Amino acid sequence: MPVSENTGIQAFPNGARSQRVHESALTAAVELLEEGGLTAATCDAVSARSGVSKATIYKHWPSKTAIAAEAFGRLMGEALPLPNTGSAVGDLTEQVRQVSAFYAAQPVFAQLLAACVTDPAAAPYFRHFFLAGRREAIATLWQRAVDRGETKPSVDAETATDILFGPLIFRLMTGHKPLTEEEADKIAAAALGGLLR
Amino acid sequence: MPVSENTGIQAFPNGARSQRVHESALTAAVELLEEGGLTAATCDAVSARSGVSKATIYKHWPSKTAIAAEAFGRLMGEALPLPNTGSAVGDLTEQVRQVSAFYAAQPVFAQLLAACVTDPAAAPYFRHFFLAGRREAIATLWQRAVDRGETKPSVDAETATDILFGPLIFRLMTGHKPLTEEEADKIAAAALGGLLR
Amino acid sequence: MPVSENTGIQAFPNGARSQRVHESALTAAVELLEEGGLTAATCDAVSARSGVSKATIYKHWPSKTAIAAEAFGRLMGEALPLPNTGSAVGDLTEQVRQVSAFYAAQPVFAQLLAACVTDPAAAPYFRHFFLAGRREAIATLWQRAVDRGETKPSVDAETATDILFGPLIFRLMTGHKPLTEEEADKIAAAALGGLLR
Amino acid sequence: MPVSENTGIQAFPNGARSQRVHESALTAAVELLEEGGLTAATCDAVSARSGVSKATIYKHWPSKTAIAAEAFGRLMGEALPLPNTGSAVGDLTEQVRQVSAFYAAQPVFAQLLAACVTDPAAAPYFRHFFLAGRREAIATLWQRAVDRGETKPSVDAETATDILFGPLIFRLMTGHKPLTEEEADKIAAAALGGLLR
DNA sequence: AACTAATCGAGACGGTACGTCCTGTCTTACT
DNA sequence: AGTAAGACAGGACGTACCGTCTCGATTAGTT
């Protein structure tokens, strides 16, 4: 678990035994998240199920949200494959659709996002173990589009990511409109109008 | 406090006495939010400061988040005036800037948004007493732009709102980038490229 | 549960409901003490068995030792009847024998005494709910002896109590000698030589 | 550290290295006891300060109380010189006074006594390294008195010790009366009335 | 003016998770 | 072997907050 510096991610014991423990706790957390969402992924519950003591858990993670974030990142690691439709519009629209469907299907995502507000120590974990993957995916797609000359030069990948996914998160959090595929398409279309030539 | 049906907002006793009580509780909640954010706006604290008993509070609101949402809506009621620069780009960019600054300055906003995920009963209150005002503002600006023929016909006000503000909320929640004025401008520029002609 | 002032015993809610709760917790504590000694009388255990929440227990008692002390006082309330042999020597010797046997049979006594060292807040409970009864018994016996003119005038009831029971407690705590009836008699005889004419 | 059999005191490695280690741990324990009482003399603390690892400590002593008991015995080894007033009353009264003052001034004594109840494996250490010294002192004084014919023949040194110091310990543990010099004198006077001619 | 509902203030309670603490065991690698 | 270093399980601790509840007091509206 080599973690780069300045990520806000806490160092933890590194021996073989510790790694087994780390693994056990994460596995238990994944199971609990699947069964009962973030609410069920209590520290006590993780400890009870994994056989890892609470004290040890707190040596590996700063809070229960942090374990959940790492567990969720693992749970969803490969869930979203990179689309390859041949055009930037196609790729990015497809990705927005997928992410939209994923968010709608995984209440844990919203719960984690929310929990990170209350529990700032967990936010780096969420960014590192979950968001980073999404942003990298977009960066790849965006680079492809750049190479093909399909993007507006004034826009960078970061901003593009925010504009494509921000609206999904907005809806997810406030629940003012459902996250259907149609809606995802509308958002993608309108957003891409500003990002591509 | 006439509340339309189907909003998910709970009816409560309507006598003169009840209205005083409602008012007292809200006032206390506003003060507590200002002083210590959502964390400080405990049920017990609201009860203690307002002299309204907890039981009564739970007759008027379904949860502590709901009071806080209504209180926050009141607190921020008139904080953001409608810009009028003469052009859609100017108006909307200005509004994005203002909202961005407001979010960055008011941690309570993110806290409330987060709390509504955990506490679904409170979400309607947040939408009704806070978001509704923002969406109306955009609706007005958007209608102006429509009247001037500045908008793309394929985009409606709802989608425009999501695309303009979603990115801000995304950043606010994950904290992966700061909400400076420059960033707000970049987002507004890129987003508006897709929304306006 | 009218408690005189300045005893160090904590006030607690006094309604009918609270009294039921107080009773429930004590009953559970008594059972646990009987089953597994002071070690078993955990706050969590008392809470679980009685159905009284931990938070409530901490409103009624300052610590787990305090509940145990009150429970033990109740448990042993009438265990030791006042002897009446007709003479001070007989009465006091008999009382020393009884107390000695009781201490030896009730490990909880020593455990409580020990716990009060670590947990000073519980000491008043032990004194009030347990020791007070013993000291009163001796005071009664001593007064009888005074009335009969059997005591040395230079000795008061308090000192007599300390000299009669102190040695028992000394042995109980350090375990350097067993608390048999013979030993109790030796102690009583030697001690009473200094107390009576 | 030659320890007779059947004392309940645990054998431990005997090489030169082991003895250095034993010494280091004890020294650290003594310091910690002086600084913060028994509470501060944690296993971890002793380990950290002495550089002796916890595993090693547990090869030399059965529990943390045991180290503390041995350390305390060493700390107080020569603190109480034998009085020599020329009479048994004088000697023993003086000794009671000294011990009383010592108990009152050294909270560690009560803490250790209490800890031995919970931790029976440590009791032999307390008896061996601390109490034994006190009892020997009394035995010496008592023998002097016997030689002078000042004692009652029915009383032995053991019982005398219990009757003289038991009351002090009783007060120390329950705290129902302070351990002032006056009180010590009252106790000594009353107790010695039963022990001497 | 009295009566009867509704409504309220006060605050205790059950439930539940939290994060901390310390003991004694265990592992690993070094001397 | 014996040791240093230190991670680990286990389990109690005492705290915090939520939302429900019980009680007696207060207040409207109704008769």
Side-chain angles (χ1 to χ4, degrees):
Chain A
M1 206 63 49
V3 162
S4 48
E5 321 77 29
N6 298 331
T7 49
I9 292 181
Q10 161 178 322
F12 54 85
N14 235 334
R17 195 177 168 201
S18 295
Q19 288 196 358
R20 280 197 303 276
V21 157
H22 199 90
E23 218 49 40
S24 306
L26 272 181
T27 307
V30 165
E31 290 171 21
L32 288 162
L33 281 178
E34 282 175 327
E35 292 169 19
L38 187 54
T39 313
T42 306
C43 269
D44 289 291
V46 171
S47 171
R49 176 167 306 201
S50 65
V52 174
S53 89
K54 269 185 2 169
T56 303
I57 290 179
Y58 281 102
K59 270 191 194 142
H60 286 245
W61 294 275
S63 70
K64 73 153 203 171
T65 315
I67 324 173
E70 185 167 347
F72 188 62
R74 166 165 312 200
L75 179 62
M76 292 302 128
E78 310 83 3
L80 302 182
L82 271 191
N84 195 346
T85 62
S87 78
V89 177
D91 284 359
L92 292 169
T93 302
E94 180 57 24
Q95 181 79 353
V96 168
R97 260 192 211 154
Q98 283 179 5
V99 169
S100 165
F102 171 69
Y103 287 174
Q106 289 288 342
V108 174
F109 175 77
Q111 292 168 348
L112 269 177
L113 197 50
C116 290
V117 172
T118 314
D119 181 357
Y125 287 76
F126 188 60
R127 287 199 294 267
H128 183 79
F129 291 103
F130 186 79
L131 292 181
R134 300 307 102 215
R135 299 196 89 86
E136 268 172 36
I138 294 301
T140 306
L141 296 183
W142 189 254
Q143 190 54 45
R144 270 192 218 151
V146 168
D147 294 344
R148 290 191 195 118
E150 293 178 285
T151 63
K152 287 193 185 164
S154 60
V155 181
D156 55 30
E158 287 280 320
T159 306
T161 310
D162 288 347
I163 290 186
L164 285 169
F165 297 136
L168 302 181
I169 284 173
F170 188 13
R171 296 210 172 174
L172 189 67
M173 300 298 283
T174 64
H176 62 269
K177 277 221 170 176
L179 273 180
T180 63
E181 190 165 324
E182 287 164 87
E183 292 292 329
D185 283 355
K186 267 171 78 176
I187 289 172
L192 288 173
L195 305 174
L196 306 177
R197 296 188 190 231
Chain B
M1 204 64 48
V3 162
S4 49
E5 322 76 31
N6 299 333
T7 47
I9 292 180
Q10 159 178 323
F12 52 84
N14 235 332
R17 197 178 164 199
S18 294
Q19 289 197 358
R20 279 198 304 276
V21 158
H22 198 91
E23 218 46 42
S24 306
L26 272 181
T27 307
V30 165
E31 290 171 19
L32 288 163
L33 282 177
E34 281 176 327
E35 293 168 17
L38 188 53
T39 311
T42 310
C43 268
D44 290 284
V46 171
S47 171
R49 176 166 306 201
S50 65
V52 174
S53 90
K54 275 170 65 177
T56 304
I57 289 177
Y58 281 100
K59 274 192 189 136
H60 287 246
W61 294 274
S63 72
K64 79 145 204 173
T65 316
I67 326 172
E70 184 167 347
F72 188 62
R74 168 165 310 197
L75 179 62
M76 292 301 130
E78 310 82 5
L80 302 182
L82 271 190
N84 195 345
T85 63
S87 79
V89 176
D91 284 359
L92 292 168
T93 302
E94 180 58 25
Q95 182 77 354
V96 167
R97 259 190 212 157
Q98 283 180 5
V99 168
S100 167
F102 170 68
Y103 286 173
Q106 288 288 341
V108 174
F109 175 77
Q111 292 170 346
L112 269 176
L113 197 50
C116 288
V117 171
T118 314
D119 181 358
Y125 286 77
F126 187 59
R127 288 199 293 268
H128 182 79
F129 291 104
F130 184 78
L131 292 180
R134 300 305 104 217
R135 299 196 90 85
E136 268 172 38
I138 295 301
T140 305
L141 295 182
W142 189 255
Q143 190 55 43
R144 269 192 220 152
V146 168
D147 294 345
R148 288 190 197 119
E150 291 177 287
T151 64
K152 287 197 187 161
S154 61
V155 182
D156 56 31
E158 288 280 321
T159 305
T161 310
D162 289 347
I163 290 186
L164 286 169
F165 297 135
L168 302 182
I169 285 174
F170 189 13
R171 297 211 170 174
L172 188 68
M173 302 299 284
T174 65
H176 60 270
K177 278 222 169 175
L179 274 180
T180 61
E181 189 164 324
E182 282 167 274
E183 292 292 329
D185 282 355
K186 266 171 77 176
I187 288 171
L192 288 173
L195 304 175
L196 306 179
R197 298 187 187 232
Chain C
M1 207 62 50
V3 162
S4 47
E5 321 77 30
N6 299 331
T7 48
I9 293 181
Q10 158 177 326
F12 55 84
N14 234 331
R17 197 178 166 198
S18 296
Q19 290 197 355
R20 280 196 304 275
V21 157
H22 198 91
E23 217 51 39
S24 307
L26 273 181
T27 306
V30 165
E31 291 171 21
L32 288 163
L33 281 177
E34 282 174 329
E35 292 168 19
L38 188 54
T39 313
T42 307
C43 269
D44 287 292
V46 171
S47 172
R49 176 165 306 201
S50 66
V52 174
S53 90
K54 267 186 2 169
T56 303
I57 289 178
Y58 281 103
K59 271 189 192 144
H60 286 245
W61 293 275
S63 71
K64 75 153 201 169
T65 315
I67 325 173
E70 185 167 347
F72 188 62
R74 167 164 312 197
L75 179 62
M76 290 302 127
E78 311 82 4
L80 302 182
L82 270 192
N84 195 345
T85 62
S87 77
V89 176
D91 284 359
L92 292 168
T93 303
E94 180 57 27
Q95 183 76 354
V96 167
R97 260 190 211 154
Q98 283 180 6
V99 169
S100 166
F102 171 68
Y103 287 173
Q106 288 287 343
V108 174
F109 176 78
Q111 292 169 347
L112 268 177
L113 198 49
C116 288
V117 172
T118 314
D119 180 358
Y125 287 77
F126 188 59
R127 286 199 294 267
H128 182 79
F129 291 105
F130 184 78
L131 293 181
R134 299 307 102 214
R135 299 195 89 85
E136 269 173 35
I138 295 302
T140 306
L141 295 182
W142 190 254
Q143 190 56 45
R144 268 192 220 153
V146 168
D147 294 344
R148 289 189 196 121
E150 292 177 287
T151 62
K152 287 194 186 163
S154 60
V155 182
D156 57 30
E158 287 279 319
T159 306
T161 309
D162 288 348
I163 291 187
L164 287 169
F165 298 136
L168 302 181
I169 284 174
F170 188 13
R171 297 211 171 173
L172 189 68
M173 301 299 284
T174 64
H176 60 271
K177 278 222 169 174
L179 273 179
T180 62
E181 190 164 324
E182 287 164 88
E183 293 291 330
D185 282 355
K186 267 171 77 176
I187 289 171
L192 288 174
L195 305 174
L196 306 179
R197 298 185 188 233
Chain D
M1 205 62 49
V3 161
S4 51
E5 322 78 29
N6 297 331
T7 49
I9 292 181
Q10 160 179 321
F12 52 85
N14 237 331
R17 195 176 165 201
S18 293
Q19 289 197 357
R20 279 198 304 278
V21 157
H22 197 91
E23 219 44 44
S24 307
L26 272 182
T27 307
V30 165
E31 291 172 19
L32 288 162
L33 281 178
E34 281 175 326
E35 292 169 18
L38 188 53
T39 313
T42 308
C43 270
D44 290 284
V46 171
S47 171
R49 176 167 306 201
S50 65
V52 174
S53 89
K54 274 171 66 176
T56 305
I57 289 178
Y58 281 100
K59 275 193 189 136
H60 286 245
W61 293 274
S63 72
K64 79 146 204 171
T65 314
I67 326 171
E70 185 167 346
F72 188 63
R74 168 166 310 199
L75 178 63
M76 292 302 129
E78 310 83 3
L80 301 181
L82 271 191
N84 194 346
T85 63
S87 78
V89 176
D91 284 0
L92 292 169
T93 302
E94 182 55 27
Q95 182 79 352
V96 168
R97 259 190 212 154
Q98 283 180 5
V99 169
S100 166
F102 171 68
Y103 287 174
Q106 286 288 342
V108 174
F109 174 77
Q111 292 168 349
L112 268 177
L113 195 50
C116 288
V117 172
T118 314
D119 180 357
Y125 286 77
F126 188 59
R127 286 199 294 268
H128 183 79
F129 291 103
F130 185 79
L131 291 181
R134 298 308 102 216
R135 299 195 89 85
E136 269 173 36
I138 295 299
T140 306
L141 296 182
W142 189 255
Q143 190 55 45
R144 268 192 220 153
V146 168
D147 294 345
R148 289 188 197 124
E150 292 179 287
T151 64
K152 287 192 186 165
S154 60
V155 182
D156 56 29
E158 287 281 321
T159 306
T161 310
D162 288 348
I163 289 186
L164 286 169
F165 298 136
L168 301 181
I169 285 174
F170 189 13
R171 296 209 171 174
L172 189 67
M173 300 300 283
T174 65
H176 60 272
K177 278 220 170 176
L179 274 180
T180 63
E181 190 166 322
E182 282 167 273
E183 293 291 329
D185 283 355
K186 266 171 79 176
I187 289 172
L192 288 174
L195 304 176
L196 306 179
R197 297 191 188 226

